[in-house]
Amino acid sequence: VTDEKVTIIDYKTGRPPPDRKAPDVGDYQLALYGALIGQIYPGRAIETLLLYTRGPLIIEVGEGDRERALNDLAEA
């Protein structure tokens, strides 16, 4: 947490990294985490990352991805 940004990293230790970037449960998790943390730290950028330790591979789940995930959840 800085004055400008909050970074959230979700560690995936038991799963292999995906072959391609497609929405999965991690995207939905980070969308919810980002929405909640954004309420705690208003006015700060929210950065969300999935870290697959078996890769290792880091995938950024950007704001647009989080918004789509939240919309999917709202429609479900």
Side-chain angles (χ1 to χ4, degrees), residues 8-62:
I8 303 167
I9 303 173
D10 186 0
Y11 290 82
K12 301 297 185 189
T13 56
R15 293 174 43 193
D19 289 332
R20 62 181 176 83
K21 176 64 174 112
D24 74 353
V25 69
D27 293 342
Y28 298 108
Q29 279 181 291
L30 288 176
L32 292 170
Y33 295 164
L36 293 171
I37 293 297
Q39 292 178 16
I40 295 169
Y41 296 101
R44 296 184 195 188
I46 305 294
E47 176 183 42
T48 52
L49 306 166
L50 291 167
L51 180 110
Y52 290 85
T53 59
R54 286 178 65 184
L57 177 68
I58 295 176
I59 298 174
E60 181 174 4
V61 180

